[in-house]
């Protein structure tokens, strides 16, 4: 089942369309207002008066606030790749344009990006471990390595409590993810 959503505008960003794919057994949750033109593959029009569409889960990335712009982008890309490979349920259907050209599948729901201090990241890391939620980690040591083997060795060399976490991705029930991210703020 395919739905098209228009996100709720807020003071910080413009409204932009978002497409997610879901099947009949998958529930949806991203704070979004259903656009009046949204349709379900069966051809029915959704009811815009029904209120916000919400996914029961959340994908979130938390970045340390002192990272350079290129580092923020790089860390985010690495972190979300971990979620997509380990959790097939977060991936939607492949895309295709009007000319029949195919494109890779992407996440079925928005990825929310947050930032926080070093202390916020340390606390979030401890909370995500205590809740046993699916997570990906990026440490400051990974900026000095150049390949996957060395990246894994750099993380393996440091005990969990000693990791200098600069980025964390987490997936799970909305409330649990919100608790992990306590103290973080939306990325500007």
């Amino acid at each position: 089942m395919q739905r098209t959503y228009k996100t709720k505008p807020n003071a910080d960003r413009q409204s932009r369309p978002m497409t997610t794919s879901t099947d009949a057994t998958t529930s949806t949750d991203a704070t979004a207002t259903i656009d009046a033109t949204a349709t379900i593959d069966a051809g029915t029009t959704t009811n815009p008066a029904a209120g916000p569409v919400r996914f029961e889960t959340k994908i979130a990335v938390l970045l340390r606030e002192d990272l350079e712009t290129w580092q923020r982008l790089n860390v985010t890309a690495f972190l979300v790749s971990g979620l997509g490979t380990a959790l097939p349920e977060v991936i939607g259907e492949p895309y295709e344009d009007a000319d029949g050209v195919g494109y890779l599948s992407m996440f079925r729901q928005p990825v929310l990006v947050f930032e926080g201090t070093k202390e916020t990241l340390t606390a979030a890391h401890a909370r995500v471990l205590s809740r046993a939620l699916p997570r990906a980690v990026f440490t400051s040591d990974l900026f000095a390595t150049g390949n996957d083997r060395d990246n894994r060795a750099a993380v393996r060399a440091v005990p969990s409590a000693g990791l200098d976490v600069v980025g964390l991705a987490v997936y799970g029930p909305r409330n649990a993810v919100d608790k992990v991210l306590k103290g973080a703020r939306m990325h500007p």
Side-chain angles (χ1 to χ4, degrees):
M1 159 182 352
Q2 176 119 3
R3 296 181 181 161
T4 303
Y5 304 105
K6 188 177 215 175
T7 59
K8 283 171 112 172
N10 71 23
D12 297 338
R13 63 179 182 226
Q14 297 176 351
S15 177
R16 59 183 178 258
M18 168 183 68
T19 302
T20 41
S21 287
T22 59
D23 61 33
T25 62
T26 305
S27 57
T28 55
D29 148 45
T31 306
T33 303
I34 300 174
D35 184 17
T37 61
T39 59
I40 299 173
D41 284 348
T44 60
T45 302
T46 59
N47 180 357
V53 173
R54 292 202 172 280
F55 290 93
E56 292 178 7
T57 57
K58 183 181 272 187
I59 299 171
V61 173
L62 176 57
L63 302 171
R64 204 163 75 191
E65 65 186 3
D66 61 349
L67 296 179
E68 297 291 328
T69 301
W70 73 267
Q71 292 173 317
R72 290 172 188 249
L73 295 170
N74 185 266
V75 170
T76 300
F78 270 96
L79 289 171
V80 297
S81 71
L83 295 178
T85 57
L87 303 162
E89 68 271 18
V90 301
I91 304 297
E93 296 297 320
Y95 287 73
E96 184 176 293
D97 65 25
D99 293 325
V101 176
Y103 301 92
L104 296 174
S105 300
M106 296 187 284
F107 289 122
R108 66 179 181 90
Q109 67 190 82
V111 176
L112 303 173
V113 181
F114 297 83
E115 69 174 5
T117 63
K118 180 176 182 168
E119 294 77 21
T120 301
L121 269 286
T122 301
H125 182 246
R127 286 192 292 265
V128 77
L129 294 178
S130 73
R131 286 175 171 74
L133 292 171
R135 70 241 169 217
V137 68
F138 197 102
T139 68
S140 62
D141 295 334
L142 302 187
F143 291 123
T145 60
N147 61 72
D148 186 53
R149 183 188 70 237
D150 291 342
N151 286 351
R152 285 182 283 113
V155 173
R156 189 178 307 114
V158 180
S160 297
L163 292 172
D164 184 16
V165 179
V166 299
L168 184 68
V170 60
Y171 171 76
R174 285 183 24 224
N175 290 342
V177 172
D178 289 344
K179 288 177 183 175
V180 166
L181 299 174
K182 183 179 179 184
R185 60 192 172 280
M186 286 296 289
H187 193 284

